[in-house]
Amino acid sequence: MNMIVSFKEPSLEESKLKTDLLVMFFFENEIKTRDTDKTTAGIIKSAFQQKEFTGKINQSILIRNNKNINKILLIGLGKRNELNFERMMNAASIGSSFMIKSKSSKIKITYRLDDKVFEEYIQAITQGANLGLYKFDKYKKTKTKSVTIHFWGRGKNKRDERNQIGTGMVISSGVSLARDISNMPSSDCTPLMLASRAKKISNKSGLKCRIIKKDQLKKLGMGGIIGVSKGSHQPPVCIVLEHQGGKKNEKPVVIVGKTITFDSGGISIKPSAAMDEMKHDKSGGAAVLGIMESVSRLKIPMNIIGIMPTTENLPGGNAYKPGDVLTFYNKKTAEILNTDAEGRLVLADALALAQDYKPKAIIDLATLTGACIVALGSVASGMMGNNDTLKRMMLNASKACGERIWELPLWPEYKNMIKSDIADIKNIGMGGAGTITAAAFLSNFVGDYPWVHLDIAGTAWKQRGTSQKGYIKNGATGVGVMLIVELLSNWNKYSKLK
Ligand code: BES
Ligand code: MG
Ligand code: ZN
């Protein structure tokens, strides 16, 4: 999607405005016709009076005034005192989404930002507008159109507005990148292909990129990544991205993402229904790539490392099998009782590698367990961890950006459920709590470093008909990018916040 954002003169009259769509936001029961022209004002007023449109949240109505403006979309924001980042983003995305089906290839959308409060929400509006236009069209003969977005605003604080637009553009491109990667079919996104894509993105955005190839993974003793990869003809890689925004010796935050380019289950093979969705099993790593690109472009003044342990999980003749024992990078061993619990095995090596950086925090994202969908559906990602401060920071960042997370406990009882008779631990627990026993497995690989695990199994892609948000489209959601970039952008604030 080709998108340009610019500002219109605040003094411009509606009658002189040329646009395909004019978007206007209204708070609930605040009938204001503002400085629209008479025809528009009249239509809006009567829509209010007839209670067709009251400004309720997510309410929208389309009017036409037969002039330069093809369509005018009125969007409800709900009560003024309940406005937040997510509501504003969603409202903006309803506007731009509306034009996706339009026949013309060049589209102009104008957002009328005439209320002072909108000035604080320009980033949210930019993000929503951009994500509302997201479409995975790589495999479509006809590609989507080029869109120009105009903000027709008060323009009182131009510099801040420009900053907010810039940030919103960077973050929404990060989310779109994560979506693109997750949406790619596994045949066109093998571990090696993903590695070269990551390299290109790194060069462009100023990240350091190290690709640890199969031989090196073996030498390093990364038995988890190697073990899972054995049933596939595609060699595994571990992709390491570095953003040095802080002082050289400053401890980094390490972000780890499960990057299984396709999860068939391996020898413990999955049922065939919806197995295609397992191309999305790389969503954690896709988010890491989107996060790293964003933090680099935003020049976040911190050191941040991204790690993507990347492989397919297939049942080829050389595949790892139930009963096998794998040894990880930190020398711990695990008995494999189900080859479909592969995510924790590749994460084990990556989390152990994260410890080499003596990080101030480790955060991992993974489409780890179907059980998490049972617990939280697609509304929230599951959060578990070993550090109350870091968990609180995550929860506060989550509230700010609207990507929901919910904590599940990680008590010692759960850790006992994965003890093995013959190895240090086993890769599945018995007796329920599948999301938590998976996290308990991971906790063996983070040492005493502050760590949070996000299970994004339910939130990484849109299961048919689940989300009503305009900024979430069918397929991958890019979940985690907004949340982690928000956290990293305001790390000091969140570390002090109660
Ligand atoms: N990638 C899956 C988890 C998953 C399933 C994510 C469905 C999203 C939708 C993961 O590798 C997996 O297969 N987990 C198993 C673990 C079980 C064998 C302990 C699961 O959840 O069934
Ligand atoms: Mg699996
Ligand atoms: Zn998986």
Side-chain angles (χ1 to χ4, degrees):
M1 185 71 56
N2 176 4
M3 188 170 118
I4 309 158
V5 182
S6 76
F7 260 91
K8 290 262 185 231
E9 277 308 305
S11 56
L12 188 82
E13 287 165 36
E14 189 184 304
S15 56
K16 304 230 172 72
L17 186 75
K18 283 212 168 95
T19 192
D20 298 300
L21 180 73
L22 173 64
V23 179
M24 299 179 79
F25 299 116
F26 290 85
F27 290 107
E28 191 166 342
N29 292 328
E30 287 191 32
I31 307 168
K32 248 211 258 173
T33 42
R34 309 199 190 130
D35 49 357
T36 49
D37 76 11
K38 279 203 202 103
T39 328
T40 314
I43 302 173
I44 294 173
K45 214 170 173 185
S46 80
F48 266 118
Q49 277 163 353
Q50 290 167 24
K51 297 219 158 36
E52 282 170 12
F53 178 77
T54 55
K56 246 199 205 137
I57 185 153
N58 294 343
Q59 205 181 30
S60 67
I61 97 164
L62 184 72
I63 62 179
R64 291 167 194 273
N65 75 351
N66 299 321
K67 286 192 183 160
N68 296 334
I69 307 166
N70 194 347
K71 302 182 180 81
I72 301 178
L73 191 64
L74 315 181
I75 299 176
L77 290 173
K79 299 212 170 67
R80 183 179 281 268
N81 62 2
E82 286 173 6
L83 185 65
N84 59 31
F85 190 94
E86 197 274 337
R87 279 194 180 192
M88 195 69 239
M89 184 169 69
N90 191 39
S93 70
I94 293 172
S96 58
S97 293
F98 192 80
M99 293 309 280
I100 273 196
K101 287 183 207 101
S102 155
K103 292 268 184 315
S104 68
S105 60
K106 275 198 181 142
I107 297 166
K108 257 193 220 165
I109 305 175
T110 304
Y111 285 88
R112 185 76 174 110
L113 307 182
D114 50 353
D115 194 310
K116 193 172 173 357
V117 290
F118 297 144
E119 279 168 33
E120 294 163 43
Y121 286 101
I122 304 257
Q123 186 196 329
I125 298 167
T126 309
Q127 251 164 250
N130 205 359
L131 291 175
L133 291 165
Y134 177 83
K135 192 165 169 32
F136 184 62
D137 60 6
K138 187 177 160 51
Y139 295 93
K140 293 279 192 191
K141 185 174 166 193
T142 326
K143 309 289 179 205
T144 39
K145 34 226 145 216
S146 107
V147 178
T148 314
I149 304 259
H150 290 301
F151 290 154
W152 180 16
R154 297 170 15 114
K156 290 273 157 63
N157 186 351
K158 286 234 169 70
R159 180 196 284 204
D160 177 60
E161 284 168 353
R162 242 177 273 138
N163 281 344
Q164 286 199 51
I165 291 175
T167 306
M169 287 299 281
V170 169
I171 294 175
S172 48
S173 332
V175 175
S176 302
L177 170 62
R179 289 181 182 180
D180 280 347
I181 300 281
S182 175
N183 281 329
M184 286 282 280
S186 64
S187 58
D188 289 341
C189 187
T190 65
L192 285 177
M193 288 174 187
L194 187 53
S196 65
R197 177 102 189 249
K199 237 196 175 129
K200 268 195 206 130
I201 290 164
S202 303
N203 289 340
K204 221 172 144 187
S205 52
L207 294 161
K208 263 197 225 156
C209 176
R210 178 162 70 114
I211 308 294
I212 310 177
K213 292 207 166 161
K214 185 175 168 183
D215 288 348
Q216 195 64 26
L217 290 170
K218 271 190 191 162
K219 266 191 213 137
L220 288 169
M222 298 207 170
I225 304 175
I226 291 292
V228 173
S229 78
K230 279 171 65 188
S232 165
H233 289 299
Q234 300 298 336
V237 292
C238 186
I239 303 167
V240 184
L241 304 160
E242 272 180 56
H243 163 71
Q244 210 198 70
K247 295 202 186 78
K248 239 210 156 102
N249 54 359
E250 208 178 287
K251 290 176 177 172
V253 175
V254 182
I255 319 286
V256 177
K258 171 179 172 182
T259 320
I260 299 293
T261 57
F262 189 78
D263 179 14
S264 71
I267 297 295
S268 316
I269 198 157
K270 288 183 181 294
S272 53
M275 202 201 266
D276 61 291
E277 291 183 350
M278 285 299 125
K279 69 172 184 179
H280 293 299
D281 213 19
K282 51 180 154 28
S283 299
V288 168
L289 200 52
I291 292 163
M292 294 307 292
E293 187 198 53
S294 300
V295 299
S296 181
R297 291 178 62 193
L298 293 172
K299 300 197 168 50
I300 291 182
M302 277 211 294
N303 295 332
I304 303 163
I305 311 276
I307 306 180
M308 303 160 59
T310 310
T311 174
E312 290 186 327
N313 183 25
L314 290 187
N318 197 37
Y320 82 131
K321 300 178 284 295
D324 288 359
V325 173
L326 302 181
T327 305
F328 301 97
Y329 183 56
N330 69 351
K331 299 282 186 290
K332 280 199 185 177
T333 60
E335 181 185 10
I336 305 307
L337 295 179
N338 188 318
T339 64
D340 197 11
E342 85 296 339
R344 61 201 78 184
L345 308 176
V346 304
L347 289 170
D349 284 333
L351 292 170
L353 177 65
Q355 291 190 53
D356 285 357
Y357 295 92
K358 303 197 168 27
K360 63 175 162 201
I362 305 175
I363 300 165
D364 80 76
L365 304 107
T367 47
L368 206 59
T369 64
C372 195
I373 311 176
V374 177
L376 300 171
S378 61
V379 175
S381 305
M383 173 177 77
M384 290 137 277
N386 62 5
N387 183 285
D388 288 338
T389 306
L390 187 59
K391 284 190 284 193
R392 195 181 58 231
M393 289 170 74
M394 295 285 299
L395 284 167
N396 280 322
S398 159
K399 275 182 203 141
C401 74
E403 275 189 1
R404 289 190 189 278
I405 59 177
W406 193 254
E407 187 182 0
L408 300 172
L410 194 47
W411 292 312
E413 287 88 337
Y414 297 110
K415 299 185 183 172
N416 294 333
M417 287 161 73
I418 51 164
K419 282 190 174 148
S420 161
D421 286 339
I422 67 161
D424 296 327
I425 45 180
K426 56 187 178 185
N427 82 328
I428 56 170
M430 305 290 168
T435 302
I436 304 176
T437 51
F441 185 97
L442 300 180
S443 71
N444 282 279
F445 301 91
V446 293
D448 292 325
Y449 292 100
W451 158 72
V452 153
H453 157 64
L454 295 178
D455 194 326
I456 57 170
T459 50
W461 67 93
K462 184 176 157 179
Q463 259 103 0
R464 275 154 217 109
T466 44
S467 171
Q468 300 93 25
K469 312 283 184 187
Y471 56 89
I472 291 177
K473 306 290 164 185
N474 284 336
T477 61
V479 76
V481 176
M482 286 197 282
L483 172 63
I484 307 290
V485 175
E486 169 62 26
L487 175 75
L488 295 170
S489 303
N490 299 293
W491 185 270
N492 287 336
K493 178 182 102 185
Y494 287 121
S495 61
K496 284 175 210 134
L497 216 63
K498 282 274 164 286

